């Protein structure tokens, strides 16, 4: 009786070679062919990874360029404000300091937007006549038309700010910074209450506080009392936090304070006192952080003997001389 051996199934061989049945005849697939296919897939995957890495690098470069553009735009605007309207810039610097104080006691959405809005909110005042800007800076009583022009300057400021990339949130906060929580103020229509941006509600309290606290013999306590008389205009939670935090006067920092000749000022130096010329006109306000433009301006004024022999500045010797107008922790 003959010995029966099992027949191999279709597509299999006894030589370690697979086959593919295409309906007509089986095409053998060798180990070398499988390795070649694997190598091809690995090469294709590597090309895809290199392409993705290249695109990531391009995106990173684009974001860095956009960040530099944003920083440059902000620096330019603050330089213009500090130079053209130093009295108004002094108020803005005060409002910015206050926002940073109360931000430590609140949950702030995009704190960097609030920080910039606090410094740039009076940009529109540059477009106003000098006499009106001076009256506003000194908190001299304004008539109804003048007060309206000050409030409408928020529109000019917001449009200027909106021209800088990624500043839409800052522009919106500035646009509504004069709007009352109860719907009063400018713009006449639009949102009210919690529908207003949080940054705008904070700025409303602090801008009005800075205005009310400006002038001889005025105190911060008096300013809060004045604002409380119109309490409906302010977010009650923000007003309470501001009053609790800002009534504790922070000591003036003395570490790093140096007396220098104006021509030796560096970018990043912060003026300790108001800087005036020989005629008593305010050139740069206390708290101004010098940029390249303002430092060069000091140099030219010093050469024309229009400045005192020495000025007091706060100088951070531990960091670079390049000032940072934007908080780095939340920017991008």
């Amino acid at each position: 009786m003959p010995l029966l051996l099992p027949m191999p199934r279709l597509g299999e061989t006894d030589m370690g070679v697979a086959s593919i049945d295409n309906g007509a005849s089986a095409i053998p697939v060798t180990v070398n062919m499988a390795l070649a296919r694997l190598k091809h897939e690995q090469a294709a995957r590597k090309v895809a990874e290199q392409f993705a890495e290249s695109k990531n690098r391009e995106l990173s470069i684009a974001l860095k360029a956009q960040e530099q553009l944003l920083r440059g735009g902000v620096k330019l605007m603050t330089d213009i404000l500090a130079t053209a309207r130093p009295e108004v810039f002094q108020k803005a610097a005060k409002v910015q300091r206050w926002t940073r104080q109360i931000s430590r006691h609140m949950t702030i959405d995009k704190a960097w937007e609030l920080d910039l809005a606090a410094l740039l909110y009076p940009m529109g005042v540059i477009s106003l006549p000098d006499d009106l800007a001076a009256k506003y800076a000194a908190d001299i009583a304004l008539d109804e038309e003048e007060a309206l022009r000050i409030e409408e300057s928020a529109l000019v400021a917001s449009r200027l700010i909106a021209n800088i990339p990624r500043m839409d949130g800052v522009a919106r906060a500035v646009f509504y910074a004069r709007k009352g929580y109860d719907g009063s103020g400018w713009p006449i229509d639009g949102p009210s209450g919690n529908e207003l941006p949080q940054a705008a509600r904070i700025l409303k309290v602090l801008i009005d506080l800075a205005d009310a606290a400006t002038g001889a013999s005025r105190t911060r306590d008096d300013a809060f009392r004045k604002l409380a008389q119109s309490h409906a205009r302010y977010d009650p939670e923000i007003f309470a936090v501001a009053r609790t935090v800002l009534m504790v006067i922070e000591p003036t920092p003395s570490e790093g304070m140096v007396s220098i000749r104006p021509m030796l000022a560096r970018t990043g130096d912060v003026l300790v006192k108001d800087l005036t010329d020989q005629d008593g006109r305010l050139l740069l306000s206390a708290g101004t952080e010098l940029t390249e433009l303002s430092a060069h301006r000091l140099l030219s004024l010093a050469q024309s003997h229009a400045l005192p022999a020495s000025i007091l500045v706060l100088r951070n010797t531990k960091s670079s001389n390049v000032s940072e107008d934007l908080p780095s922790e939340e920017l991008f």
Side-chain angles (χ1 to χ4, degrees):
M1 182 176 179
L3 180 64
L4 298 177
L5 298 175
M7 296 296 291
R9 292 194 299 268
L10 184 62
E12 294 183 352
T13 71
D14 58 354
M15 298 299 293
V17 179
S19 65
I20 300 174
D21 187 356
N22 62 1
S25 61
I27 302 174
V29 179
T30 66
V31 173
N32 289 337
M33 292 175 64
L35 290 176
R37 176 177 293 180
L38 179 61
K39 186 176 181 181
H40 176 75
E41 291 176 353
Q42 290 175 339
R45 185 161 51 250
K46 184 176 182 180
V47 170
E49 291 173 350
Q50 290 175 343
F51 178 78
E53 184 179 354
S54 174
K55 289 301 179 183
N56 285 336
R57 283 198 302 267
E58 291 177 6
L59 179 60
S60 177
I61 293 172
L63 288 176
K64 187 174 183 62
Q66 191 177 60
E67 181 179 349
Q68 290 173 343
L69 180 61
L70 173 56
R71 292 182 184 277
V74 170
K75 284 181 179 292
L76 177 61
M77 295 183 78
T78 53
D79 281 345
I80 292 173
L81 181 60
T83 303
R85 296 282 187 258
E87 302 91 345
V88 176
F89 181 78
Q90 186 174 28
K91 275 190 178 182
K94 182 186 299 183
V95 171
Q96 188 187 51
R97 290 196 301 272
W98 289 347
T99 61
R100 291 175 177 178
Q101 286 180 247
I102 70 172
S103 292
R104 297 194 290 267
H105 301 270
M106 297 179 62
T107 300
I108 306 294
D109 300 330
K110 295 185 178 180
W112 72 269
E113 290 187 347
L114 172 62
D115 194 72
L116 292 183
L119 189 62
L120 299 177
Y121 79 87
M123 280 298 301
V125 179
I126 294 176
S127 65
L128 300 178
D130 291 344
D131 56 344
L132 177 55
K135 288 178 68 175
Y136 167 68
D139 198 43
I140 298 174
L142 305 175
D143 60 35
E144 186 175 347
E145 181 180 353
E146 290 173 331
L148 180 59
R149 294 184 69 181
I150 292 295
E151 291 188 343
E152 289 177 340
S153 68
L155 174 60
V156 178
S158 65
R159 286 178 173 175
L160 289 172
I161 295 168
N163 288 325
I164 304 176
R166 304 205 67 168
M167 293 281 277
D168 291 344
V170 178
R172 190 166 186 266
V174 169
F175 183 79
Y176 289 112
R178 304 283 184 174
K179 185 73 172 176
Y181 190 74
D182 58 355
S184 61
W186 190 93
I188 298 175
D189 54 0
S192 61
N194 288 337
E195 294 180 357
L196 289 164
Q198 182 194 39
R201 286 179 274 138
I202 294 173
L203 288 180
K204 174 62 178 174
V205 174
L206 300 183
I207 292 172
D208 287 0
L209 179 65
D211 291 345
T214 300
S217 302
R218 295 187 182 181
T219 66
R220 199 174 297 183
D221 184 56
D222 293 336
F224 272 114
R225 291 178 186 275
K226 180 180 178 179
L227 267 59
Q229 295 173 3
S230 305
H231 61 89
R233 297 178 183 175
Y234 310 106
D235 183 317
E237 180 182 353
I238 293 173
F239 186 86
V241 172
R243 188 164 193 168
T244 300
V245 173
L246 298 181
M247 285 307 297
V248 179
I249 308 299
E250 293 187 342
T252 302
S254 57
E255 184 179 358
M257 187 181 300
V258 293
S259 177
I260 61 170
R261 289 185 295 167
M263 63 180 58
L264 298 180
R266 303 176 184 173
T267 57
D269 287 347
V270 178
L271 293 179
V272 175
K273 299 180 179 180
D274 290 344
L275 183 62
T276 58
D277 62 13
Q278 293 176 338
D279 299 324
R281 291 174 298 189
L282 181 63
L283 301 175
L284 292 172
S285 59
T288 299
E289 184 174 340
L290 299 182
T291 61
E292 186 175 356
L293 176 62
S294 52
H296 279 299
R297 186 180 181 217
L298 285 184
L299 176 60
S300 61
L301 289 172
Q303 291 173 339
S304 63
H305 306 289
L307 297 179
S310 63
I311 59 174
L312 281 176
V313 298
L314 288 174
R315 176 170 292 174
N316 186 355
T317 57
K318 296 182 181 180
S319 63
S320 64
N321 291 333
V322 180
S323 63
E324 295 291 338
D325 289 317
L326 308 181
S328 59
E329 67 274 11
E330 294 187 27
L331 185 54
F332 289 106

